[in-house]
Amino acid sequence: MKSTIARATLVFASLLIGLAPAAHSATCSTATVAGNWAFTLNGVLILPTGPVPLAGIIRGTADINGNVAGTEARNVGGGYGDETLTGSWTINPDCTGTATVSAFKSGQLVRTGVLSIVFDENAKQVRMVQQSLTLPDGTQVPVVATVEGRKQ
């Protein structure tokens, strides 16, 4: 019985060790993620009056210096708007990072968001969660939002 458990443990450990290099083989940088991207945004703003759903689709470009820009078609609580986005993202070798993105409507800043990032699929897919949302007057708005994107 003990030898069967020992063999099973050894097989399981061997499998984990065999998988470990694959899990850490990806290396990301602003150069590897540069290009054209398409994103989907979903979430909820938490306002004093109650939760307000939000959704959006984004077409963006990232350059090798970490600059990002794009356009967003978004809906917040039933109100549609087209916005222009600018910002930057910092990419770590382990394919994690942070993005800071400002949204403009008719040339006026409407918000700035900070997001945590993780890339997968050899830096061809990204997932983000919003850390913060700040209005132009400095007001922080609680938000629960996720973004998924795919390199085009």
Side-chain angles (χ1 to χ4, degrees):
M1 176 75 163
K2 285 184 183 180
S3 65
T4 302
I5 293 172
R7 271 183 276 167
T9 302
L10 182 58
V11 169
F12 183 68
S14 297
L15 286 172
L16 288 179
I17 290 168
L19 292 175
H24 297 290
S25 64
T27 300
C28 291
S29 67
T30 55
T32 62
V33 301
N36 295 318
W37 288 83
F39 304 95
T40 303
L41 164 75
N42 285 293
V44 62
L45 295 172
I46 303 168
L47 303 178
T49 56
V52 177
L54 60 97
I57 52 173
I58 302 161
R59 182 175 180 172
T61 301
D63 68 21
I64 63 170
N65 298 313
N67 300 304
V68 295
T71 56
E72 177 179 30
R74 59 100 181 125
N75 190 306
V76 177
Y80 176 84
D82 289 312
E83 298 173 337
T84 302
L85 307 173
T86 63
S88 62
W89 58 14
T90 302
I91 310 304
N92 302 314
D94 68 353
C95 296
T96 63
T98 304
T100 301
V101 179
S102 295
F104 298 84
K105 185 169 181 178
S106 301
Q108 297 294 313
L109 178 66
V110 292
R111 72 182 172 285
T112 299
V114 177
L115 301 106
S116 291
I117 305 170
V118 64
F119 289 90
D120 60 13
E121 298 291 327
N122 293 320
K124 301 236 185 289
Q125 187 169 321
V126 66
R127 300 168 201 280
M128 299 183 231
V129 65
Q130 191 137 7
Q131 293 179 14
S132 65
L133 188 149
T134 306
L135 300 180
D137 67 2
T139 301
Q140 295 278 318
V141 178
V143 61
V144 178
T146 59
V147 178
E148 290 194 19
R150 184 133 187 94
K151 196 171 188 181
Q152 303 300 290

